[in-house]
Amino acid sequence: MKVAAVFALAASASAFTPSMKASRSTSLRMALGDMPGSTAPLNNFDPLGLANVGSDETLAWFRAAELKHSRVAMLATTGYLVQAAGIHFPGMLSSDISFESLSSMKPFDAWEAVPDAGKAQILATIFIAELATESKDVHYTKGGPLPTIVFPPIDFSNVDAGTLKKKQDRELNNGRLAMIAIMSFIAANNIPGSVPALSGNPMF
């Protein structure tokens, strides 16, 4: 109820400041067009108007979230395909589970078979990477650089601006496609027939 009241007060207050709201909206739209990822054929694709729901800091947070989810989705999609292809590390994951035995399972079943200690190590690594990206001297919501890849660190300082922009566009576009892909994999695994293109595939 308190949250609803705050939003109600904010909405009523905004009704008395139309010029400020319009100015901020224009500024954010310009910033959205200048950011990496705004490419043809859907320049400034924002059907929900998320670029206008807050301040410049909010927009920077949204972009960082998209970037992180893009990278995670690309790793997840690649991992799913590698697992489904039966490619695996040699040796043992634990004292009684081999990588070869996991490679014979569906990816989600293989995750379930990983010992709890192994899952904890994976989640701890993710937490450390997240902490590293959020603990910069100047946070990205305050004008600092957007989160970079932690493992391994990649230095783009010697890349010219035009080439870097192309690389950033490609990373985001590939990440967006990967987010759609991994969501499709999850749906196909949990809801048979939900993704017709994957129906009958033994890995789902």
Side-chain angles (χ1 to χ4, degrees):
M1 292 296 292
K2 291 182 178 179
V3 174
V6 170
F7 278 118
L9 287 172
S12 61
S14 65
F16 296 97
T17 56
S19 61
M20 290 178 62
K21 186 174 181 179
S23 174
R24 185 175 66 178
S25 175
T26 302
S27 174
L28 286 173
R29 283 189 180 279
M30 291 177 61
L32 182 64
D34 294 337
M35 297 171 78
S38 179
T39 58
L42 299 173
N43 292 322
N44 295 347
F45 182 71
D46 185 22
L48 298 180
L50 296 179
N52 300 316
V53 302
S55 63
D56 291 340
E57 288 81 1
T58 306
L59 182 60
W61 187 89
F62 282 150
R63 171 41 53 89
E66 180 186 30
L67 188 57
K68 290 181 180 181
H69 283 83
S70 292
R71 290 167 178 166
V72 170
M74 285 188 282
L75 288 172
T77 302
T78 302
Y80 201 109
L81 295 176
V82 168
Q83 167 75 13
I87 301 171
H88 60 84
F89 290 111
M92 303 292 291
L93 174 66
S94 65
S95 59
D96 58 345
I97 299 177
S98 67
F99 285 108
E100 184 177 4
S101 67
L102 292 177
S103 70
S104 64
M105 305 177 188
K106 296 180 180 180
F108 283 100
D109 293 338
W111 170 253
E112 289 298 325
V114 172
D116 290 340
K119 293 177 181 176
Q121 291 174 42
I122 294 172
L123 295 176
T125 301
I126 294 171
F127 173 75
I128 292 171
E130 178 71 5
L131 194 62
T133 62
E134 295 291 331
S135 302
K136 302 298 182 182
D137 292 336
V138 180
H139 197 261
Y140 51 80
T141 60
K142 304 299 181 183
L146 287 169
T148 56
I149 297 174
V150 178
F151 307 118
I154 302 175
D155 183 13
F156 288 106
S157 59
N158 294 324
V159 179
D160 67 86
T163 301
L164 182 60
K165 173 65 165 54
K166 289 181 180 179
K167 290 181 180 293
Q168 290 173 325
D169 287 341
R170 290 170 181 170
E171 179 184 33
L172 280 164
N173 286 336
N174 288 330
R176 290 162 180 165
L177 181 60
M179 285 189 278
I180 295 173
I182 195 61
M183 286 190 290
S184 299
F185 292 174
I186 293 171
N189 180 79
N190 291 283
I191 309 173
S194 60
V195 184
L198 299 177
S199 295
N201 189 306
M203 281 296 132
F204 294 95

